[in-house]
Amino acid sequence: MDLTKLYYMEIDKLHINEGDFDLFVELEPRQKLEFLWDAQYVGLEASILKQLEKLDEKKLSFESIPKTVVTDFEVGHTRLCVTVYNDIMYLNSNSLKAIRQFISKLWLDGHVLWQVKNTKKTIYDIYKYLKVYKVIGKGSPFSEN
C-alpha cells in the first residue's frame, strides 16, 4: 500500500462556494491549510464552522477595541465636551477661553499634549470651537511658583 496516496489531498474534487471563499480569504496562511485539510477529511461544513468559531473568538477580544471616554464639563458658564479616543483628545466648546483653561489645567497636572492641526469638525461636535490634542504622556505635576 502506498502511504503517499493515503495522505494525498484531492483539491480538485473540493468545491468552495463564493460565500465560503470569502471566509477562506480572511484566514491566515496556516489557517487556510487547516481549512483545506479539514474540508477534505472532516467535511467542508465542519471545516467552515471550526474556522468561524476561531474567528469569533479572535474578534471578541475586547482588549483590541479602543476605549472611548466622553465627558461634559461646565467651565464658568460654558459647556466643554471632552472626548478621548485612542490617546487623542477632542475638546469642543463655544468658548476658546474654556478650552485654553482646560488645557492649562491638564498641562499643570503633568499631561504632555501635542496639538493636532487641521482637524475637521464632525456631526458630533455641536459647539463652535474644536481643538484636538494627542496625549503623549503623563509626568509629574508642575508648580506655578
Side-chain angles (χ1 to χ4, degrees):
M1 176 180 228
D2 187 9
L3 291 178
T4 56
K5 288 184 179 179
L6 182 63
Y7 292 109
Y8 178 71
M9 292 177 61
E10 296 183 26
I11 302 280
D12 292 340
K13 294 181 182 177
L14 184 64
H15 175 73
I16 301 175
N17 66 28
E18 187 177 339
D20 299 335
F21 185 73
D22 290 341
L23 166 69
F24 183 77
V25 170
E26 292 295 320
L27 299 175
E28 299 292 326
R30 185 178 180 130
Q31 291 175 311
K32 288 178 182 177
L33 287 173
E34 182 181 22
F35 176 87
L36 291 172
W37 177 267
D38 289 343
Q40 181 70 29
Y41 295 105
V42 180
L44 183 60
E45 187 174 332
S47 178
I48 292 168
L49 292 175
K50 179 179 178 182
Q51 294 303 324
L52 283 174
E53 185 175 300
K54 286 183 177 184
L55 283 175
D56 284 343
E57 289 172 4
K58 184 178 174 183
K59 288 183 180 178
L60 287 179
S61 172
F62 291 109
E63 296 164 0
S64 63
I65 299 173
K67 184 177 179 183
T68 303
V69 178
V70 179
T71 310
D72 272 347
F73 294 101
E74 191 169 331
V75 180
H77 299 291
T78 307
R79 306 227 17 108
L80 173 68
C81 178
V82 179
T83 304
V84 180
Y85 176 76
N86 271 355
D87 295 331
I88 304 289
M89 183 180 303
Y90 301 85
L91 303 173
N92 188 225
S93 177
N94 281 329
S95 168
L96 281 174
K97 182 179 178 183
I99 293 174
R100 282 194 298 268
Q101 285 177 337
F102 189 80
I103 290 300
S104 177
K105 171 75 170 123
L106 288 174
W107 180 256
L108 291 174
D109 285 345
H111 292 85
V112 181
L113 305 172
W114 177 59
Q115 186 173 3
V116 179
K117 302 277 185 177
N118 300 325
T119 52
K120 304 284 185 200
K121 287 176 61 173
T122 67
I123 60 170
Y124 303 108
D125 301 317
I126 59 174
Y127 300 117
K128 185 175 181 179
Y129 301 107
L130 173 70
K131 296 287 185 179
V132 180
Y133 294 87
K134 178 163 180 56
V135 180
I136 296 175
K138 171 127 173 63
S140 299
F142 291 104
S143 174
E144 289 189 49
N145 295 338

